[in-house]
Amino acid sequence: MSAKAPRELMFFFDVDNTLLDNDRAKADMEAQLMSVLGQEGSKRFWELYEEVRKEGGVVSYPRTIARFEEEWADKVAAYHAANIVNGLPYEEYLFPGTVAALQRVSGMGDVAILSDGDAEYQPRKIARAGLSRIVGFKDVLVFVDKQEQLLALMQQLPARHYVLVDDKESILANAKTLMGEKLTTVWVQQGHYAHDPKFYREPAPDITLASIGDLCNLNKSDFLREG
């Protein structure tokens, strides 16, 4: 998306547990890995997963798989594990109402996906979920830490007003503190972060929804904070 004249309204959507049930997807992945690796192999895979995340500050399945394949003696099992991770059908994990919500707001303004994640797996995951086809591949933005990119994105994608939709209340609060009244924050209470008080902080979200599908009940004026 090129930076031209300022848009009236720019929507940024998080992915994991906002548009896509990442908790369920990961649980299914864990069960499938257990079936091919056994308890010891599965345990080691997730230990490496956490090591990689701590080192890089972001989940990276490609790096996790590479380390696991290098050290695990059963190469056939490691091969099948890689296929499970790389082939997970993420389109089956979209929350009900995701497509309708994106289509509705696309009639109100410009829409982009703004996600934390590694530069290799996360874009492929978003594409496999079918989200790229909805908003257009050029509008899928993935960063190691998306919060650090907000001011730069305001310059690259100028708009009269912005909307950030996310499942993590703390991310919304940080963004509101940074962007002020140019931003409307929408908290979708889905996923484990949404129900853990440790991830809450002030200021409170402008709009709170129980599910992404509830976005379809809102009008443009709700996001522009008019009236």
Side-chain angles (χ1 to χ4, degrees), residues 15-17 20-27 90 93 95 125:
V15 175
D16 293 335
N17 288 329
L20 183 153
D21 191 345
N22 197 60
D23 289 346
R24 184 166 66 89
K26 187 179 178 186
Y90 282 106
Y93 296 95
F95 282 114
K125 172 182 181 179

Side-chain angles (χ1 to χ4, degrees), residues 13-15 19 111-115 126 131-132 135 139-142:
F13 281 85
D14 174 55
V15 175
L19 301 176
V111 181
I113 286 173
L114 178 59
S115 175
I126 292 167
L131 294 171
S132 302
V135 301
D139 301 331
V140 176
L141 310 170
V142 177

Side-chain angles (χ1 to χ4, degrees), residues 39 124 161 218:
Q39 184 172 355
R124 288 193 282 115
H161 197 79
L218 301 179

Side-chain angles (χ1 to χ4, degrees), residues 70-90:
E70 181 179 357
E71 76 166 49
W72 198 247
D74 188 341
K75 300 305 181 185
V76 174
Y79 171 81
H80 288 305
N83 282 343
I84 288 170
V85 174
N86 289 322
L88 203 69
Y90 282 106

Side-chain angles (χ1 to χ4, degrees), residues 108-226:
M108 303 178 190
D110 291 277
V111 181
I113 286 173
L114 178 59
S115 175
D116 289 325
D118 73 286
E120 181 181 349
Y121 189 86
Q122 191 70 3
R124 288 193 282 115
K125 172 182 181 179
I126 292 167
R128 288 204 306 276
L131 294 171
S132 302
R133 294 194 300 272
I134 300 171
V135 301
F137 187 76
K138 64 183 181 297
D139 301 331
V140 176
L141 310 170
V142 177
F143 302 100
V144 171
D145 187 346
K146 65 187 181 187
Q147 296 182 80
E148 295 181 352
Q149 305 299 322
L150 289 175
L151 290 180
L153 287 173
M154 289 176 69
Q155 294 180 340
Q156 296 170 20
L157 303 171
R160 172 190 164 200
H161 197 79
Y162 298 86
V163 179
L164 180 59
V165 185
D166 207 294
D167 67 294
K168 298 183 185 69
E169 195 271 351
S170 58
I171 286 179
L172 295 170
N174 291 340
K176 188 71 173 185
T177 299
L178 183 67
M179 298 172 66
E181 292 308 308
K182 284 186 67 68
L183 175 71
T184 296
T185 54
V186 181
W187 185 27
V188 185
Q189 294 180 306
Q190 299 170 157
H192 64 284
Y193 290 111
H195 303 285
D196 189 339
K198 294 195 302 292
F199 295 94
Y200 300 175
R201 57 151 293 189
E202 296 291 334
D206 295 311
I207 300 171
T208 300
L209 304 175
S211 69
I212 191 65
D214 291 341
L215 206 63
C216 293
N217 299 324
L218 301 179
N219 298 311
K220 189 174 183 178
S221 60
D222 294 310
F223 300 113
L224 293 172
R225 317 304 293 163
E226 297 171 348

